[in-house]
Amino acid sequence: MKKYLLLLLFLFLFVFESIFIEFLPLKMFGNEVILVPRFLMIAILFFTIFGDVRQGIIAGFIIGLLFDVVYTGVIGIYLVFFPLIAFLVSKVMKVLQTNVVILTFVSILAIALLEFAVYEMNSLIKITNMEFLMFLKKRLLPTMILNLILTVIIGYPLKRFFEKYKKEVMKD
Amino acid sequence: MPQFFLNKRLIILLVSIIILVALIGFSLRDREQLTWPEQFLKDTTGFVQHILAKPTGYITGFFEDVKGLTNTYEENKELKKRLDELAQLEVDVQLLAKENAELREMLDKQDSLRNFKPIHATVIARNADRWEELLIINKGKTNGIEKNMAVVTANGLIGKIKSTQQFTSTVQLLSAMDPTNRISAEILRGDEESIYGTIEGYDEKRELLKLKRIPNDAKIEKGQKVVTSGMGGIFPAGLPIGEVVDVEPDEFGLNQTAYVKPGANLYDIRNVIVVEREMIQPGKNDDAGEEEEDR
């Protein structure tokens, strides 16, 4: 049962990420800043830590592929970075204490890493010509702040959901 | 170094880097059509997006309506003033259209570059990572949409079709940094002859389109309207793009570059019109020509 719910959750977040940009009041901030919600990255990280590491990385791989095909059209970038960052965070969390507060901060750092990696890749293949300082000011910082707020809101429910999922899977 | 090759993680890493490069190279190629798995995935998620986009559209629409109510009075006064002018304008347009048709008949010239067939569509999603500005709309091949068609809103041109699937298509906005994104444009100067140039690129800092290759001696003023010229072969003529904000000589001083403010807001797009040109496209009648040669 929980397995289907998990699929539905990821599918919903996948679509919701784009709806969030299209419809919610991000336009209020005008074109000064670029705010990017990273619900999927947050969910993958929470799933990796509170659910299962192996399944989390596989989820990152599949969602990354879907993200590339549907949204960006350049296959390969998220396909690699979603699972890679999930793997790195799982290693980091082995050293740190596993709780929501610490994982929230690690997630924000992971999202910053993701943004930076995708920025470098996109500059390399000339999808963007944004300067580095402009990227920091216009995109990275606002995105980190937005995602901090989002993680605080959805972090605890996600943790509960993934822990229940893990329990159910362990029983089988 | 046997140990080096036995390190499973390292091999996985190397293989994944190779796959990454290969996949990026594959998808960056100028492809006529997406592969069928890609099309299938896009259509399937498009279906879900379509279902979820509708209710959110209603909800945000409701809040916007409430916000709009607060300045209804002022708006109404302004609109009433415009309405009187509109009646006159409508009569003028009808007369001119009739006259135009008659004159065309006299000249025996039926089709014009201006004729097009509109296909209405709704935006169901936007690129979630916001690097390249892409929109996904709810009409596809089954509705007659093809690659490279122009996409407009009521206020002007916003982009072109990047790829199509059966039931959805992807729109690339004018603000995308794509060197192949060139649009043949025309600056209207009232009674004087128009000036032609091409739109190449987008100034991200100033949020203006660059209209390049304008002759050095052409006199351009701020506020002059820019429309598509139809010379590019795919877009019809006369689609509004925007108006001139600034003119600068280009880097070598041989041409001028005009900065054009897009008429349409590229950040707030809900409903779009995909424009299908009625006149034959240069690339398309090749098949017909070949058939004749065979005989």
Side-chain angles (χ1 to χ4, degrees):
Chain A
M1 186 58 208
K2 272 269 181 321
K3 262 184 188 169
Y4 298 109
L5 271 179
L6 188 78
L7 267 178
L8 268 180
L9 174 78
F10 277 121
L11 186 64
F12 175 75
L13 287 179
F14 184 81
V15 176
F16 188 68
E17 208 163 84
S18 139
I19 286 177
F20 192 86
I21 292 169
E22 185 66 30
F23 292 104
L24 290 170
L26 294 179
K27 285 154 200 151
M28 204 162 70
F29 299 98
N31 315 332
E32 299 302 311
V33 294
I34 301 174
L35 292 161
V36 189
R38 292 285 185 197
F39 293 111
L40 284 172
M41 189 76 247
I42 298 167
I44 290 167
L45 292 179
F46 273 72
F47 182 46
T48 313
I49 302 307
F50 293 114
D52 183 61
V53 175
R54 224 175 73 90
Q55 282 186 22
I57 291 170
I58 293 169
F61 186 79
I62 295 168
I63 291 165
L65 178 66
L66 206 61
F67 196 94
D68 279 335
V69 169
V70 174
Y71 289 134
T72 65
V74 181
I75 307 165
I77 295 181
Y78 287 95
L79 176 76
V80 169
F81 287 123
F82 275 166
L84 188 69
I85 287 173
F87 174 74
L88 288 179
V89 168
S90 76
K91 285 279 175 244
V92 170
M93 289 310 280
K94 267 188 190 153
V95 184
L96 298 170
Q97 203 181 2
T98 307
N99 65 42
V100 179
V101 180
I102 288 173
L103 184 58
T104 301
F105 284 104
V106 174
S107 299
I108 299 308
L109 290 179
I111 285 166
L113 181 68
L114 176 75
E115 281 293 329
F116 183 72
V118 174
Y119 165 70
E120 282 300 326
M121 289 302 290
N122 278 335
S123 314
L124 202 70
I125 59 176
K126 300 217 163 54
I127 278 183
T128 179
N129 59 351
M130 205 185 259
E131 290 152 30
F132 185 68
L133 272 178
M134 202 166 146
F135 162 72
L136 284 186
K137 218 170 58 189
K138 198 172 168 181
R139 191 174 163 122
L140 189 64
L141 268 177
T143 299
M144 279 171 79
I145 294 167
L146 173 75
N147 280 296
L148 180 64
I149 297 165
L150 294 178
T151 320
V152 168
I153 296 168
I154 64 167
Y156 189 68
L158 278 182
K159 180 196 164 201
R160 287 284 299 274
F161 179 80
F162 290 134
E163 277 177 348
K164 271 187 197 159
Y165 169 82
K166 195 181 180 184
K167 241 182 232 166
E168 206 181 274
V169 172
M170 292 282 255
K171 248 189 250 164
D172 292 342
Chain B
M1 274 194 290
Q3 235 179 1
F4 178 86
F5 288 105
L6 282 176
N7 196 337
K8 212 171 112 194
R9 287 228 174 92
L10 202 65
I11 288 175
I12 290 175
L13 189 72
L14 285 175
V15 169
S16 55
I17 286 173
I18 292 167
I19 292 173
L20 169 75
V21 172
L23 276 174
I24 289 177
F26 171 71
S27 48
L28 277 181
R29 249 181 5 179
D30 190 20
R31 289 186 288 173
E32 197 53 44
Q33 219 179 5
L34 297 178
T35 53
W36 71 263
E38 279 173 280
Q39 291 196 21
F40 175 74
L41 280 177
K42 282 185 122 171
D43 267 343
T44 320
T45 45
F47 178 68
V48 182
Q49 281 161 344
H50 192 69
I51 292 169
L52 277 173
K54 270 229 165 118
T56 26
Y58 285 134
I59 293 165
T60 47
F62 173 75
F63 282 111
E64 268 164 26
D65 287 349
V66 170
K67 225 166 77 186
L69 272 179
T70 51
N71 47 13
T72 315
Y73 180 73
E74 292 284 310
E75 231 172 51
N76 205 5
K77 250 200 314 203
E78 183 71 22
L79 286 175
K80 265 185 188 152
K81 233 187 273 167
R82 294 251 191 101
L83 206 62
D84 296 336
E85 295 164 23
L86 196 70
Q88 182 60 43
L89 201 68
E90 209 173 328
V91 175
D92 282 352
V93 167
Q94 265 178 18
L95 284 175
L96 285 173
K98 210 174 142 198
E99 200 178 287
N100 195 346
E102 276 169 15
L103 288 173
R104 272 182 190 288
E105 216 165 299
M106 272 158 82
L107 283 171
D108 207 19
K109 189 164 173 266
Q110 290 298 333
D111 37 354
S112 138
L113 281 174
R114 295 181 65 98
N115 289 351
F116 62 80
K117 211 172 82 193
I119 304 167
H120 294 265
T122 310
V123 177
I124 51 173
R126 209 173 231 275
N127 182 0
D129 87 333
R130 304 192 76 185
W131 276 115
E132 196 179 8
E133 293 287 0
L134 302 170
L135 302 175
I136 301 171
I137 57 173
N138 67 344
K139 294 281 164 75
K141 276 182 204 160
T142 44
N143 306 89
I145 290 180
E146 280 164 35
K147 202 183 161 181
N148 284 332
M149 278 182 180
V151 182
V152 299
T153 65
N155 299 320
L157 189 73
I158 56 164
K160 65 169 186 182
I161 299 285
K162 193 187 182 205
S163 62
T164 53
Q165 292 81 245
Q166 290 304 322
F167 306 109
T168 56
S169 350
T170 308
V171 179
Q172 184 179 44
L173 293 188
L174 286 176
S175 52
M177 215 198 82
D178 182 353
T180 60
N181 218 347
R182 286 185 187 178
I183 301 155
S184 170
E186 172 181 1
I187 304 174
L188 302 176
R189 297 197 299 174
D191 295 333
E192 286 176 77
E193 226 171 278
S194 314
I195 300 167
Y196 294 89
T198 49
I199 291 204
E200 291 174 27
Y202 183 75
D203 191 326
E204 222 169 296
K205 267 188 201 146
R206 298 166 69 183
E207 281 156 14
L208 299 172
L209 293 164
K210 286 188 237 170
L211 178 55
K212 289 188 177 173
R213 292 163 206 265
I214 305 168
N216 214 1
D217 52 350
K219 282 203 186 77
I220 302 161
E221 281 161 32
K222 281 179 198 173
Q224 282 173 336
K225 298 266 185 261
V226 179
V227 298
T228 56
S229 71
M231 305 293 185
I234 298 158
F235 291 3
L239 298 175
I241 297 173
E243 56 180 47
V244 177
V245 183
D246 194 10
V247 187
E248 277 173 17
D250 79 348
E251 49 210 300
F252 306 114
L254 298 171
N255 289 321
Q256 296 183 82
T257 299
Y259 287 86
V260 179
K261 188 178 188 302
N265 181 353
L266 297 180
Y267 292 87
D268 192 3
I269 304 164
R270 297 282 161 78
N271 293 301
V272 298
I273 302 165
V274 184
V275 168
E276 184 183 2
R277 177 160 127 157
E278 278 184 358
M279 199 173 216
I280 313 156
Q281 294 176 12
K284 265 196 169 173
N285 50 3
D286 285 353
D287 315 343
E290 273 166 34
E291 262 175 45
E292 274 170 24
E293 275 167 29
D294 286 340
R295 267 177 231 159

